[in-house]
Amino acid sequence: MNISKEQLDELNAVVTVDIAKEDYTDKVEGILKDYRKNANIPGFRKGHVPMGLVKKQYGKAVLVDEVNKLLQDALNKYLTEEKLDVLGNPLPKEQENFDWDTDDYSFAFELGLAPKFDIQFNGKKAITHYTIVASDEMIENQIKTTQKQYGKLIPQETASKEDTISGTFVNEEKEIDNQTTITLDKIKGKKNLEKFVGAKVGDVITLKTKGLFADDQDLINALKIERDDAEGLNIEVVFTISEINKQELAELDQEFFDKIYGKDVVKSVAELKEKMKEDAARQFVQQSDQQLLNDVTESVLENTKFDLPAAFLQKWIKATGEQELTEDQAKEEYEKSEKGLRFQLIEGKIITDNNLQVTFEELKDFAKDLIKGQMAQFGQTSPDDKELEDIAARILSNQEEVKRISEQLMSQKMLGFYKENVKLKTKEVSFDDFIKEVYK
């Protein structure tokens, strides 16, 4: 057997595998002998079928199968030994007048090669790393929301704009019959609000769903319908009031502080605001870091230039797609995936060059930290190590979970690497300003 490579250019090559008769004869003969021992052919006793008949019936199929196995093994071994970094898979070149009745065979494969490149982490401008802080308005709203949560409901005879109203929405045609509680600040439109203000328990209010709530999600919750059904919904519903309550806010006293943070952790409104700001800042870190990952990814993609074997990859997509594609469709699919492929190559190089690979021990420790965080949310702040080990072992026995957790850990590693190696500028913003700036 002989394997040779013709380098067409930096990104394309052709590998030719020559297979001679002596490479496969012994294997094919051995298989045909086994066939002869077990063949059931009418007119012959088992094990006494003439070899000529066995070859005539099975010889070509066995030959083709064994040569293909030999070919794939040889090609894979060659790519590994030569350390050829290929994109996609080798594509067999079409051969005119190929003849299986000859003794020697030659097979040619097109290769698309990964490009060599240097990563450019920094462009002309430093990348913004946001520090998101809670505004005074956000903290005031959070305090009021928490006061409502720990406050009291005072029954009312008639409804006012500040009240909470319970009742049932009904529309027989759409099979809507949902008991719910709404706050009148969610009702949209002066005419709709006027129907509620002054109403009493037992009153029946007729409403149009279009423009009833400012947010589709509020409509979905109120009517208990699917999101697709809520979009553009314009029907008449009746709402029967069963209860009217005024929300009395909890007092901003020590009892309230203790309910939220534990005994004597917070002792004043000023300390409460500061604690809420700290908690909010910790929650915002994840959003800030994710945005940094997104921005660095875009910057690296923009500044790291290299060519790809586009023609080969389009041909490969056309040849390996689940559905038959035209050349134009294959080109379109390639263009859709090109950006993702470029970043896969960049990310792979970063990981390899900087030894950022995820080890099993790191994965297990990371899984245990995730488990501890989840348990803490349910009040289990000090789980023993054996319990964590057992839970982690169960999770890591699931390949889907391993993939998901590995991606999370790799994102953390990449984030840490970027923070150390990319030119950044820190900018402190409120959450609202962050949303406006990032999603402008």
Side-chain angles (χ1 to χ4, degrees):
M1 182 186 301
N2 181 59
I3 303 180
S4 60
K5 176 168 71 75
E6 179 188 1
Q7 192 78 35
L8 303 179
D9 56 42
E10 290 186 356
L11 300 174
N12 295 276
V14 173
V15 169
T16 302
V17 183
D18 296 319
I19 297 178
K21 184 176 181 180
E22 57 266 24
D23 295 324
Y24 61 82
T25 298
D26 290 345
K27 185 70 173 175
V28 170
E29 291 291 339
I31 293 172
L32 289 175
K33 284 178 182 178
D34 289 337
Y35 273 37
R36 185 186 180 214
K37 292 176 185 177
N38 299 296
N40 288 310
I41 296 179
F44 298 95
R45 285 184 296 156
K46 188 176 181 179
H48 290 77
V49 179
M51 179 57 80
L53 187 58
V54 173
K55 286 184 177 181
K56 184 178 180 180
Q57 191 160 348
Y58 301 107
K60 181 65 69 67
V62 172
L63 170 67
V64 172
D65 189 44
E66 289 307 309
V67 169
N68 278 323
K69 287 180 183 176
L70 189 64
L71 176 63
Q72 289 303 319
D73 289 345
L75 184 60
N76 291 335
K77 184 179 178 182
Y78 178 80
L79 295 178
T80 302
E81 289 178 348
E82 295 296 314
K83 297 180 180 178
L84 294 177
D85 192 1
V86 299
L87 301 178
N89 292 312
L91 284 179
K93 292 190 72 173
E94 291 186 14
Q95 299 184 59
E96 293 183 6
N97 304 318
F98 184 86
D99 187 2
W100 282 105
D101 291 328
T102 60
D103 292 332
D104 300 331
Y105 309 104
S106 183
F107 302 91
F109 294 86
E110 296 179 64
L111 303 182
L113 305 177
K116 306 294 183 186
F117 58 90
D118 294 319
I119 300 172
Q120 300 298 322
F121 290 106
N122 297 303
K124 293 180 180 179
K125 296 181 180 179
I127 295 173
T128 301
H129 186 202
Y130 294 95
T131 300
I132 308 171
V133 296
S135 64
D136 291 340
E137 182 183 359
M138 178 179 282
I139 295 302
E140 291 292 346
N141 289 337
Q142 187 175 345
I143 290 173
K144 186 164 285 188
T145 298
T146 311
Q147 283 180 279
K148 286 181 180 179
Q149 182 183 345
Y150 288 96
K152 297 177 182 178
L153 292 175
I154 309 299
Q156 303 293 304
E157 288 189 9
T158 59
S160 68
K161 291 181 182 179
E162 293 77 27
D163 291 343
T164 299
I165 300 181
S166 298
T168 304
F169 279 105
V170 174
N171 177 285
E172 292 184 2
E173 183 183 350
K174 295 290 185 180
E175 297 183 348
I176 295 170
D177 188 350
N178 187 51
Q179 188 173 353
T180 188
T181 299
I182 59 175
T183 54
L184 293 188
D185 60 346
K186 296 288 182 72
I187 296 296
K188 182 181 176 183
K190 184 178 179 181
K191 289 184 178 179
N192 286 328
L193 188 60
E194 286 175 350
K195 292 182 180 182
F196 284 96
V197 174
K200 299 179 180 180
V201 171
D203 284 357
V204 178
I205 301 172
T206 301
L207 302 155
K208 288 280 190 180
T209 56
K210 186 177 181 180
L212 180 57
F213 291 98
D215 192 316
D216 273 354
Q217 188 59 51
D218 292 327
L219 183 65
I220 290 167
N221 295 338
L223 304 185
K224 203 173 183 180
I225 56 177
E226 298 295 327
R227 179 169 294 278
D228 289 345
D229 295 330
E231 190 173 346
L233 184 66
N234 186 16
I235 60 172
E236 195 172 82
V237 292
V238 295
F239 182 76
T240 304
I241 299 175
S242 60
E243 196 174 332
I244 302 170
N245 291 293
K246 190 176 191 65
Q247 183 80 52
E248 184 179 88
L249 301 182
E251 292 291 331
L252 293 174
D253 54 19
Q254 193 60 48
E255 181 183 358
F256 176 72
F257 303 151
D258 291 348
K259 283 179 180 177
I260 302 173
Y261 289 111
K263 187 167 177 58
D264 293 335
V265 174
V266 168
K267 295 183 179 180
S268 67
V269 173
E271 288 182 11
L272 174 66
K273 290 181 178 181
E274 191 59 36
K275 191 77 169 67
M276 284 185 167
K277 276 192 174 181
E278 292 172 5
D279 291 347
R282 279 194 293 271
Q283 292 172 9
F284 292 147
V285 165
Q286 185 176 355
Q287 287 170 285
S288 172
D289 284 348
Q290 185 57 56
Q291 188 58 41
L292 178 62
L293 272 175
N294 295 344
D295 290 342
V296 173
T297 297
E298 289 300 322
S299 175
V300 171
L301 277 168
E302 183 180 345
N303 293 299
T304 302
K305 307 294 185 183
F306 54 84
D307 293 326
L308 290 171
F312 169 83
L313 290 170
Q314 289 170 38
K315 187 185 292 187
W316 176 72
I317 289 170
K318 186 175 186 296
T320 59
E322 292 183 5
Q323 297 178 340
E324 190 173 340
L325 300 175
T326 65
E327 289 187 5
D328 287 342
Q329 288 172 327
K331 182 179 180 181
E332 185 179 345
E333 287 299 315
Y334 167 73
E335 288 170 351
K336 287 179 184 176
S337 60
E338 182 184 2
K339 187 176 180 179
L341 175 58
R342 286 181 179 279
F343 187 69
Q344 282 180 16
L345 292 171
I346 291 170
E347 186 178 53
K349 183 172 174 61
I350 293 172
I351 291 168
T352 301
D353 290 353
N354 299 281
N355 197 28
L356 299 180
Q357 293 85 351
V358 172
T359 67
F360 180 75
E361 285 303 315
E362 288 175 326
L363 189 64
K364 186 171 73 171
D365 290 342
F366 186 68
K368 286 163 69 173
D369 287 339
L370 291 176
I371 294 162
K372 280 194 285 189
Q374 291 173 350
M375 294 175 78
Q377 293 178 8
F378 296 96
Q380 292 179 264
T381 54
S382 302
D384 63 67
D385 198 56
K386 185 180 184 309
E387 184 179 11
L388 287 173
E389 286 278 350
D390 290 343
I391 297 172
R394 287 199 299 273
I395 290 173
L396 297 179
S397 66
N398 183 316
Q399 289 302 310
E400 287 297 318
E401 285 297 299
V402 170
K403 182 174 181 291
R404 182 181 65 83
I405 295 172
S406 295
E407 288 172 352
Q408 285 183 261
L409 178 53
M410 182 51 69
S411 288
Q412 280 199 4
K413 285 195 167 198
M414 294 293 287
L415 182 66
F417 177 82
Y418 288 152
K419 286 181 177 179
E420 292 180 3
N421 293 277
V422 176
K423 184 167 64 177
L424 304 176
K425 62 177 181 181
T426 302
K427 183 175 183 179
E428 186 174 291
V429 292
S430 69
F431 181 72
D432 288 341
D433 287 341
F434 170 76
I435 296 297
K436 288 176 185 175
E437 191 162 325
V438 169
Y439 300 104
K440 55 190 174 185

